[in-house]
Amino acid sequence: MASLLLKNGRVVTADSDAVCDVLVEGETIVAVGRNLPVQADHIIDATGKIVVPGGIDPHVHLDMPFMGTFSSDTHETGTRAALHGGTTTVIDFVLQKQGHSLREALTEWQGRATGTAVGDYSFHMAVTDFNPATKAEIKDMVAEGITSFKTFMAYKGALMIDDAQMLGLMQEVRQHGGLVTAHATNGDMIDTLIAQHRAQGKLTPRYHYLSQPEVTEAEASGRFADIANYTDVNAYIVHLTCEGALNQVRRATERNQRVFVETCIQYLLLDASLYDNEEEGGKWVMSPPLREKKDQATLWAGINQGLVQVVGTDHCPFMWAQKLAGKDDFSKIPNGHPAIEHRMELLFSEGVSKGRISLQKFVEVTSTNAAKIFGMFPRKGTISIGADADLVIFDPTATHTISAATHHMNVDYSAYEGWELTGKIDTVLLRGQVAVDGGETKVGRGYGQFIKRGKTAF
Ligand code: URP
Ligand code: ZN
Ligand code: ZN
C-alpha cells in the first residue's frame, strides 16, 4: 500500500492546532504526530503551510433540472472545480418529481454521478410530494445512506410542499433518526409579490429581490422550527440569509431546541446593491436573494455565536446565455449562483485573514460541522487516525485573483470577478491521492465515490 508523509505543516482541526506530521497509508490517515520517525513513498514538505481537513460543501446542485433548463456544472465538472477549491466532498440534491417516487429520482441522479464524479459526493433526498407511497420509501433511503430529507417551502407547483406534508414527513423521518432540511421561505407570499410586480411592469432584477423580502424568510424559518419542535425531528435550515430568520432560530434556542443553520458564502460577502445593475444583475439572482449589510453582520456574528454551523455555497450555476432567458423579466432568470470552487479561499481571505473568524472556526464551518450534522464524522471532517486522508494544504500568505478565465467551473462568468484573495490552496488530497497540485488536476473522471451517510452526531 502506498504511503505518503506530510511533514511539518500547521495541522488545524476543529479542536487542535499544532505543527506536526501526518502519515497516510492507502486512503487513510494512520498517524499524526511531531517528527514521525517513518519513511514513506512520497513526502510533501508543508513547512509554513496550513493543513486543514478536506472541505465539505453540503449544498450543491449539479446537472439539476430547474426553471426549464439544467445547472451547467455536471458531477464531473462541479466536483473537479470543488477539488481545486479544497472541497473534497459535496452533497448534491436528488429532486423527487411530483407524482413520482423517491427511488425513480435516486436512480436518475445515480445515473448522472456514478462513474463521472471526480470528488466524493453524497445525496440529500428532496421530497417534493409527500404521500403514503413516499412515506414508505423514507426508511429505504436511510438504508441507502441518504439520511437527510430536503423540503422546499417555496417554488409552488414544482418543488413546494405544504405544512400538512411537512408535518407528515417530519414525523416519518423522526421515526428513522434522519434530518429534515428546508429552503425556508414563504412561497405563497413570494408568488403573490412576483405577480404584483410583473403586473406593474416592474421586471428588472431588483424586483427579484423585492419579491422576497426578509419577512418571507423569517416567517417560514419560524414555522419550520415550530413544526420541527413539535415533531422533535433534527432540523436544518439551508441558505439562511438574514437577521429576521436567524432571530427565529435564536427564539427556538430559548425553548432548548437546536435548529442547525447553514448560510452560504455569498450572503456573507455580497449584498443587494448588486441588483441595481440592470444589465448584469441576473448574475446574482438566486433564492433567497442577497440581503443588506446589516444581515451580513448578523451572519458573521451568528457564526461566532455558534448559531450558524455551516457555510456552504448553494452552487447552482447557469451560463450567461441561460440567465438571459430572463433579460426582460426577472421571474424567468434561472435562480442560482456559482461558488463551489471559491468557498474556502473566499472564507479564508475574508474571514480568517481579515480577523472576522478564527482558523478553527473556519475548519468547523467549512468541514467538521457538516460532517457531524450529515453523518460522515469522523470518516470525513477531521484529521485523525482512521479518517479518510482528505487534506488541504493552504499557503496562508499567497495572493491570487478570481476570474472566469481561470476558474474550473463550467460557467462563463464569475460572481467574484477580480476579487483579490489572500491565502491560496497549494495541494489537495482526496482519500490519500494527490487530487490537485499547483493548479493541476491529478485525479480523473470517476475517482469520486458515493459516501453513504449515517445519523447526525453533533
Ligand atoms: O437560487 C437558488 N438557490 N437556486 C437553487 C435552488 C435552491 O433554491 O436552492
Ligand atoms: Zn433553496
Ligand atoms: Zn439550493
Side-chain angles (χ1 to χ4, degrees):
M1 199 181 295
S3 60
L4 182 149
L5 182 63
L6 196 59
K7 282 199 73 65
N8 265 328
R10 179 178 170 195
V11 177
V12 183
T13 69
D15 46 32
S16 62
D17 182 347
V19 173
C20 61
D21 304 340
V22 180
L23 180 65
V24 176
E25 273 177 17
E27 299 197 342
T28 310
I29 296 170
V30 295
V32 181
R34 215 178 283 263
N35 299 321
L36 290 176
V38 289
Q39 299 296 317
D41 302 324
H42 183 183
I43 293 180
I44 298 178
D45 181 5
T47 306
K49 307 285 168 63
I50 292 171
V51 182
V52 295
I56 298 171
D57 185 345
H59 192 152
V60 307
H61 301 279
L62 302 174
D63 213 356
M64 181 179 80
F66 190 52
M67 294 183 74
T69 185
F70 279 78
S71 57
S72 59
D73 260 320
T74 62
H75 292 85
E76 178 179 355
T77 63
T79 57
R80 184 187 298 122
L83 285 175
H84 278 270
T87 294
T88 46
T89 304
V90 301
I91 315 183
D92 183 38
F93 291 87
V94 176
L95 301 187
Q96 177 194 20
K97 274 201 202 81
Q98 293 180 342
H100 295 258
S101 68
L102 302 183
R103 176 63 62 183
E104 277 172 86
L106 178 58
T107 304
E108 188 182 330
W109 257 260
Q110 284 169 329
R112 295 193 186 114
T114 311
T116 65
V118 185
D120 283 0
Y121 64 97
S122 190
F123 291 132
H124 306 280
M125 176 56 69
V127 177
T128 65
D129 188 0
F130 186 73
N131 57 46
T134 318
K135 179 177 173 186
E137 291 189 276
I138 298 296
K139 64 172 181 330
D140 304 339
M141 295 300 124
V142 171
E144 295 276 0
I146 298 172
T147 49
S148 47
F149 296 86
K150 167 80 176 287
T151 61
F152 290 91
M153 299 170 81
Y155 304 123
K156 199 170 188 168
L159 303 172
M160 177 170 154
I161 61 169
D162 62 22
D163 291 348
Q165 291 176 307
M166 181 70 87
L167 175 64
L169 174 66
M170 284 184 172
Q171 287 170 329
E172 189 59 20
V173 172
R174 169 77 177 83
Q175 294 292 317
H176 301 286
L179 173 77
V180 176
T181 79
H183 171 129
T185 63
N186 183 317
D188 285 327
M189 279 183 76
I190 292 167
D191 287 349
T192 304
L193 291 170
I194 291 173
Q196 287 175 356
H197 287 133
R198 293 179 77 210
Q200 293 161 11
K202 294 173 171 168
L203 299 169
T204 60
R206 185 157 180 78
Y207 289 96
H208 170 76
Y209 164 65
L210 293 174
S211 298
Q212 300 200 33
E214 183 169 3
V215 62
T216 60
E217 194 178 333
E219 185 282 327
S221 300
R223 184 161 33 106
F224 175 71
D226 287 347
I227 307 174
N229 188 50
Y230 174 73
T231 55
D232 192 31
V233 75
N234 284 321
Y236 177 103
I237 298 176
V238 307
H239 57 35
L240 185 143
T241 71
C242 59
E243 185 183 10
L246 196 63
N247 281 342
Q248 292 298 323
V249 173
R250 211 183 305 273
R251 178 185 63 88
T253 65
E254 288 165 10
R255 60 190 174 208
N256 205 24
Q257 182 190 7
R258 187 186 54 186
V259 177
F260 297 115
V261 173
E262 162 202 289
T263 191
C264 295
I265 190 69
Q266 59 271 28
Y267 300 118
L268 291 165
L269 303 182
L270 306 176
D271 70 73
S273 62
L274 289 163
Y275 298 124
D276 294 343
N277 183 334
E278 292 193 9
E279 298 306 314
E280 295 193 14
K283 286 180 181 170
W284 300 281
V285 164
M286 64 191 87
S287 292
L290 300 173
R291 301 288 186 196
E292 304 293 327
K293 294 251 186 268
K294 60 110 181 148
D295 297 300
Q296 294 178 349
T298 297
L299 294 174
W300 284 110
I303 290 175
N304 284 320
Q305 290 160 346
L307 281 172
V308 175
Q309 293 85 12
V310 174
V311 177
T313 58
D314 192 9
H315 176 73
C316 190
F318 296 100
M319 291 288 187
W320 186 235
Q322 292 174 285
K323 287 275 188 184
L324 286 176
K327 69 179 175 7
D328 300 322
D329 177 351
F330 71 86
S331 71
K332 296 193 166 55
I333 303 173
N335 287 200
H337 140 283
I340 201 167
E341 186 166 350
H342 295 119
R343 175 184 70 125
M344 292 182 75
E345 287 176 332
L346 280 166
L347 191 67
F348 186 89
S349 185
E350 295 293 316
V352 179
S353 297
K354 292 194 175 166
R356 288 169 165 139
I357 58 171
S358 70
L359 192 48
Q360 281 182 285
K361 191 53 98 173
F362 169 82
V363 172
E364 281 180 37
V365 299
T366 57
S367 180
T368 312
N369 289 348
K372 291 179 176 175
I373 293 168
F374 293 107
M376 294 186 279
F377 190 84
R379 177 177 177 188
K380 304 284 190 191
T382 193
I383 300 174
S384 62
I385 294 169
D388 279 2
D390 299 350
L391 301 165
V392 178
I393 306 173
F394 236 97
D395 183 337
T397 54
T399 57
H400 61 119
T401 305
I402 294 181
S403 173
T406 49
H407 73 202
H408 299 82
M409 299 178 285
N410 186 40
V411 57
D412 52 2
Y413 65 87
S414 171
Y416 306 90
E417 186 69 38
W419 281 48
E420 285 177 23
L421 306 187
T422 301
K424 188 172 183 337
I425 288 163
D426 273 359
T427 306
V428 179
L429 268 67
L430 172 56
R431 283 180 284 103
Q433 287 288 318
V434 175
V436 170
D437 191 36
E440 282 186 31
T441 321
K442 302 287 186 187
V443 288
R445 176 181 161 93
Y447 181 71
Q449 279 187 3
F450 175 72
I451 304 299
K452 258 185 125 168
R453 293 183 288 111
K455 293 179 181 168
T456 299
F458 189 87

